[in-house]
Amino acid sequence: MRKRLAMYHQIALRAAEAGQSQISSGPLAALLHVDDSLVRKDMARAGIPGLQKVGYPLTEVLRRLEELLGLDERNDAILIGCGHLGAAILGYAGFSTYGLKITAAFDIDYAKVGQEIAGHRVLPMEKCRSILDIFRVRIAILTVPATAAQPLTDWLVGRGIRGIWNFAPATLTVPPGVVVRHENLAIGLARLIHGLKDATDRGPVGVPDDATRSGGAEGGRRREATARARRAAKS
Amino acid sequence: MRKRLAMYHQIALRAAEAGQSQISSGPLAALLHVDDSLVRKDMARAGIPGLQKVGYPLTEVLRRLEELLGLDERNDAILIGCGHLGAAILGYAGFSTYGLKITAAFDIDYAKVGQEIAGHRVLPMEKCRSILDIFRVRIAILTVPATAAQPLTDWLVGRGIRGIWNFAPATLTVPPGVVVRHENLAIGLARLIHGLKDATDRGPVGVPDDATRSGGAEGGRRREATARARRAAKS
DNA sequence: TAGATTGTTAATCGATTAACAATC
DNA sequence: TAGATTGTTAATCGATTAACAATC
């Protein structure tokens, strides 16, 4: 459901940009490949009143969905680890839509400290504590090596961080009350590969989760993953 | 279901590393917060036979799941756009698990051509065509500016690319037979923020999709998103 | 044997679709 | 009015859980 709401929002945004002022359940349903009554139900549940014969006013749709999806809130975050991935995130344009502002970027490497990346000055880790105390930031973005992730997390949680967006390939343990989101790029990739495989196996059928699918494309070559699994099972 | 299979795989891997040789439905179910009969059903559907009294042999679990999830295949890909994000992906360790190998990295910027990033030499875009012709790569990773994404996609599809992993903030149109996966970092973020909000609203209840959730944390500050929506709706 | 665990069937639940009356 | 579209109720479908017999 949340996914659908997010999609409605995207579609509504584009419709608004294209000059429309309302949108009806039919087109929305068609775009999401669901029944139009489901769209109406979603709208009703979201508290967006429609107008018979015309549809749903885009202003209302956008307003409510942004409220519901939390896009109307402002969230400050700090970023730790200014390697390539950290830099990519600092420069990522899409966040402002979601009200995210990275208020400070840190790195332990003094070679990086002082550098400016996408308008952010890299600060030394020593400054992190005082920044957190002063600004009461609740979200931390971790783009550090895997080994550093858990100890850093413990420390951050102790300093008041309540949401962690973890890009390190490490599973984090946190106390109750703290939300961790583990961003595993490899999973996105796995899904794409699977989508390709699906398209091959079954032809243009089924919508693999997030992906735009269809016909052709051959599968990849085999590897001997079995040997690896066996090694792991024995070690 | 696919998500659960992937989780079983992860858990099985760790169990194997910890020296176990089998795993039973109970612990798996507890870790995923589902009923144990569902785990057994999944195993049955996946064609993994269990042993009464002992559980499922890890070697078998890993072997079948890797087969099913396509982790046992080898997939070559090219990467286009060697900015920060491209560089981060070139250096990302986790891909080998999924059999992905980035065989070539390209950039139009001659300042980047010739540089070595995480063991990959950056090639000029002009070389892309011949590389594709020679190696028959099917997957392309796009870490280019939004404006470049669609024309590049069209060109790549014409050269035989069948799977596109798009990091550019642009919606791509592709012909049937081509799979696009749009990786929107902002969505991961949105979910984290939402997880935080949920934790606030409802206390430690419900597992928000991917995230490890729980108790405390206050919501963010309001912004006037309404004004923005209204602008969009009018423009 | 007793205990643990699988495999499977029936029951439940929630989400989606189908149908249609209300109404602008 | 006629047509389009919402809002809602009933029917369907699929996924999950509960229960339990089989069995190592």
Side-chain angles (χ1 to χ4, degrees):
Chain A
M1 159 115 182
R2 183 141 240 105
K3 193 175 233 163
R4 283 204 305 277
L5 293 189
M7 292 178 85
Y8 296 150
H9 181 256
Q10 294 246 339
I11 295 166
L13 261 187
R14 272 182 236 151
E17 275 161 17
Q20 287 178 244
S21 65
Q22 60 275 114
I23 193 160
S24 62
S25 57
L28 278 172
L31 284 165
L32 301 231
H33 305 287
V34 294
D35 197 272
D36 51 325
S37 64
L38 181 56
V39 173
R40 293 197 290 277
K41 229 171 210 173
D42 285 342
M43 292 296 172
R45 272 183 283 188
I48 299 165
L51 303 168
Q52 265 132 343
K53 186 160 173 169
V54 292
Y56 300 88
L58 284 175
T59 46
E60 189 65 8
V61 171
L62 290 169
R63 199 184 58 70
R64 273 297 286 154
L65 289 182
E66 288 180 9
E67 200 176 319
L68 239 42
L69 295 168
L71 309 186
D72 62 339
E73 292 183 2
R74 165 135 164 244
N75 292 281
D76 289 345
I78 57 165
L79 180 141
I80 304 176
C82 298
H84 281 308
L85 189 53
I89 288 172
L90 285 173
Y92 195 78
F95 293 147
S96 57
T97 316
Y98 293 86
L100 187 89
K101 198 185 155 204
I102 300 178
T103 54
F106 302 91
D107 206 297
I108 23 162
D109 181 358
Y110 287 108
K112 289 196 185 115
V113 169
Q115 277 186 25
E116 185 158 311
I117 301 173
H120 301 261
R121 173 91 39 200
V122 178
L123 304 174
M125 266 313 282
E126 291 80 39
K127 288 260 173 89
C128 190
R129 177 161 197 162
S130 60
I131 295 268
L132 284 176
D133 286 349
I134 297 164
F135 293 108
R136 310 207 134 273
V137 179
R138 316 216 101 70
I139 298 175
I141 303 171
L142 261 49
T143 42
V144 297
T147 49
Q150 184 65 59
L152 184 55
T153 296
D154 296 341
W155 186 84
L156 287 167
V157 167
R159 301 270 92 64
I161 289 290
R162 287 294 166 267
I164 292 175
W165 196 15
N166 175 38
F167 284 82
T171 310
L172 301 178
T173 310
V174 291
V178 178
V179 178
V180 173
R181 179 160 173 93
H182 180 68
E183 199 71 46
N184 184 353
L185 285 179
I187 284 176
L189 169 67
R191 288 204 188 152
L192 170 64
I193 292 174
H194 176 248
L196 264 179
K197 210 185 161 191
D198 252 26
T200 314
D201 296 352
R202 308 207 267 267
V205 167
V207 182
D209 213 32
D210 243 13
T212 315
R213 58 65 237 18
S214 275
E218 297 92 75
R221 276 148 281 164
R222 293 255 138 181
R223 295 188 306 154
E224 5 62 78
T226 314
R228 188 163 59 72
R230 214 152 272 155
R231 273 201 309 285
K234 276 189 186 136
S235 72
Chain B
M1 160 112 181
R2 182 139 239 106
K3 194 175 231 159
R4 284 204 305 276
L5 293 189
M7 293 178 85
Y8 296 151
H9 181 256
Q10 294 246 340
I11 295 166
L13 260 187
R14 271 183 235 150
E17 275 161 17
Q20 286 177 243
S21 65
Q22 60 274 117
I23 193 160
S24 61
S25 58
L28 278 171
L31 285 165
L32 301 231
H33 305 288
V34 295
D35 198 89
D36 50 327
S37 64
L38 181 57
V39 174
R40 293 197 290 278
K41 230 170 209 174
D42 285 343
M43 291 297 171
R45 272 184 283 188
I48 300 166
L51 303 168
Q52 265 133 344
K53 186 160 174 170
V54 292
Y56 300 88
L58 285 176
T59 47
E60 189 63 9
V61 171
L62 290 169
R63 197 184 59 72
R64 272 299 286 157
L65 290 182
E66 288 179 11
E67 199 177 317
L68 239 42
L69 295 168
L71 309 186
D72 62 339
E73 292 182 4
R74 166 133 163 247
N75 291 281
D76 291 344
I78 56 166
L79 181 142
I80 303 176
C82 298
H84 282 307
L85 189 53
I89 288 171
L90 285 173
Y92 195 79
F95 292 147
S96 57
T97 315
Y98 293 85
L100 187 88
K101 198 185 153 206
I102 300 178
T103 54
F106 301 91
D107 207 296
I108 23 163
D109 182 358
Y110 287 106
K112 286 193 187 117
V113 169
Q115 276 186 26
E116 186 159 310
I117 301 173
H120 301 261
R121 172 91 39 199
V122 179
L123 304 175
M125 267 313 281
E126 291 79 38
K127 289 260 173 91
C128 190
R129 176 163 198 164
S130 59
I131 295 268
L132 284 177
D133 286 348
I134 297 165
F135 293 109
R136 310 206 134 271
V137 179
R138 317 217 101 69
I139 298 175
I141 304 171
L142 260 50
T143 42
V144 297
T147 48
Q150 183 66 58
L152 185 54
T153 296
D154 296 340
W155 186 84
L156 288 167
V157 167
R159 301 271 90 64
I161 289 291
R162 286 296 166 265
I164 292 175
W165 197 14
N166 175 38
F167 284 82
T171 310
L172 301 179
T173 310
V174 291
V178 177
V179 178
V180 173
R181 178 160 174 94
H182 182 67
E183 199 72 46
N184 184 352
L185 286 178
I187 284 175
L189 170 67
R191 289 205 186 150
L192 171 63
I193 292 173
H194 177 246
L196 265 178
K197 208 184 164 192
D198 251 27
T200 315
D201 295 352
R202 308 209 268 266
V205 168
V207 181
D209 212 32
D210 243 15
T212 315
R213 55 69 231 20
S214 273
E218 297 91 75
R221 278 149 279 164
R222 292 258 138 179
R223 295 188 305 154
E224 5 61 77
T226 314
R228 189 164 58 74
R230 215 151 272 154
R231 271 201 313 282
K234 273 185 187 142
S235 73

